[in-house]
Amino acid sequence: MRFRWKRESRMLSAVMEDYIKAIYAIRSDGQERVSTSALADYLDVTAPTVSSMLKKLEERGLVDREEYKGVTLTEEGELVALEILRHHRLLEAFLTERLDYDWADVHDEADRLEHHVSDELTDRIAEALGNPGVDPHGDPIPDADLSLPEPGDTIRLATVAEGEPVVVRRIRHQGDEELRYLADAGIRPGVELEVVDVAPFGMVTAEIPGGEQSLPEEIARLIEVVPAAEADELEA
Amino acid sequence: MRFRWKRESRMLSAVMEDYIKAIYAIRSDGQERVSTSALADYLDVTAPTVSSMLKKLEERGLVDREEYKGVTLTEEGELVALEILRHHRLLEAFLTERLDYDWADVHDEADRLEHHVSDELTDRIAEALGNPGVDPHGDPIPDADLSLPEPGDTIRLATVAEGEPVVVRRIRHQGDEELRYLADAGIRPGVELEVVDVAPFGMVTAEIPGGEQSLPEEIARLIEVVPAAEADELEA
DNA sequence: TGCAGGGTTTAGATAAGTCTAATTCGCGAA
DNA sequence: TTCGCGAATTAGACTTATCTAAACCCTGCA
Ligand SMILES: [Mn+2]
Ligand SMILES: [Mn+2]
Ligand SMILES: [Mn+2]
Ligand SMILES: [Mn+2]
């Protein structure tokens, strides 16, 4: 009812939606303003390509742009990002829960479909799943009015002290590849683990239910955890 | 531009897939060779647009083309058509059976998604539904090796004799619009009806479970039926 | 048999999204 | 304060899919 008409009148291409999603992802990863080169890097295109696309997004009122300084999402751009994120995460949840996909194999499929499913279908999926708050990777799912559930505080596995038991809450990812790696290592949201060693270059060795696992820093950095004590509280 | 990978690393755009589907649909509707203008009409584009696309499809080995005479699908083109049809019809069946869609509201959604779902997802949907042989409109669903179940013989409602009880088997359609019209008229696959009158211009009046319905020729022509006697046999 | 009208193709333009090469800008170091 | 280097933008080209206008081919009717 509310935003449906907006989406129609917006009529963004899948490519534009990907730029908006990328700006949202990079910004929420720390940066205040998102640079042309950061986007080029993230989307695997050249800087001139990004530059011209940012001008189009500015014309459409989706980003605020300052020459040579980068962009930020406008309020409308933010809504677009949340809408696509809602599609993406609900698709991931649905594939996992209703079509027997492994949690580590749903991202790429969702990443394509997110641009083509209607809001109607998305809402039906949400309904069928009982309006879940998080997807299979622990990412919060924007609800129908596009407000994002506040995720609880977490810390990166790379910064956890040795000997402190923690529970995996969320796994950042850009593709199925990292997820597959972690799935094969026996790590997934909900698993309890304990860091037993941090070697040079950030290599983290953790004890997990099935034994021990060593993870390179780039991977350990993707894992968000909470202290096991806190996790227990929430269960109760 | 979004592309999909085919088994022989054959990459087709959604647009090309739509042309292949259209050629398949028009040809299976009688024509042996499909003309440029028939395609332009069906796809709602101009003749020059079709002409240039047909040359590209010929280069890719998907159609056999004869200048000024039209095209036919090659064996490979036929497989592409069947693959997309499998996606489309399984999506329609899934939306109807698992996400509470009305059978008359699934075509347009499936028509977009068919180009973006992977074969993997399609197979999982088929599995979840128990490998159905027909979709909600009575269209046969190609199985995993792309062989199309032979649909039983049917006749068009427009040609049914007055007073002969028949059962609706299949409803041809190009969009949700015709389906919505029929759904609102109380006609859907499985419904038993009897033609009570054929007026000038092909207007068909039929008795259906809820009363009587008059259908314009363009609509009546879309409905495929079998004699009620035959239908009963199959039930038994 | 010939030609006119209609369907088909060619020619040339446009919009989206991408690239490489060239140019311009900003900012930290000298 | 000025340079120079890297980041950003501009310029120009290419591909896909579409259009309109013009030229071309086929065929049925005279
Ligand atoms: Mn994902
Ligand atoms: Mn996710
Ligand atoms: Mn359909
Ligand atoms: Mn159908």
Side-chain angles (χ1 to χ4, degrees), chain B residues 14-82:
Chain B
V15 171
M16 282 182 170
E17 289 180 348
D18 277 335
Y19 278 82
I20 297 293
K21 246 201 348 170
I23 294 166
Y24 185 95
I26 295 170
R27 186 229 40 191
S28 71
D29 211 43
Q31 273 64 55
E32 153 69 13
R33 237 198 187 82
V34 175
S35 70
T36 299
S37 54
L39 279 165
D41 197 56
Y42 189 95
L43 292 168
D44 201 28
V45 293
T46 62
T49 300
V50 172
S51 201
S52 82
M53 178 58 77
L54 291 181
K55 268 184 285 190
K56 286 175 202 154
L57 294 176
E58 184 184 37
E59 276 165 26
R60 301 221 184 195
L62 297 169
V63 305
D64 284 326
R65 176 169 159 275
E66 203 167 340
E67 291 230 318
Y68 293 96
K69 296 281 182 57
V71 293
T72 57
L73 290 177
T74 61
E75 205 144 319
E76 192 179 347
E78 188 105 2
L79 287 179
V80 171
L82 289 168

Side-chain angles (χ1 to χ4, degrees), chain A residues 18 109 112 116 118 124, chain B residues 2 100 109 112 116 118:
Chain A
D18 277 335
E109 187 88 39
R112 266 179 294 111
H116 307 286
S118 64
R124 281 178 190 265
Chain B
R2 281 282 184 288
D100 204 33
E109 187 89 39
R112 266 178 294 111
H116 306 286
S118 64

Side-chain angles (χ1 to χ4, degrees), chain B residues 24 27-28 78-79 81-87 89 132-135 138-152 170 172:
Chain B
Y24 185 95
R27 186 229 40 191
S28 71
E78 188 105 2
L79 287 179
L82 289 168
E83 196 162 5
I84 306 302
L85 243 35
R86 175 170 160 83
H87 291 183
R89 293 173 181 172
V134 294
D135 78 5
D139 299 312
I141 300 177
D143 63 25
D145 64 12
L146 300 184
S147 65
L148 193 65
E150 190 57 45
R170 183 174 180 180
R172 313 307 278 239

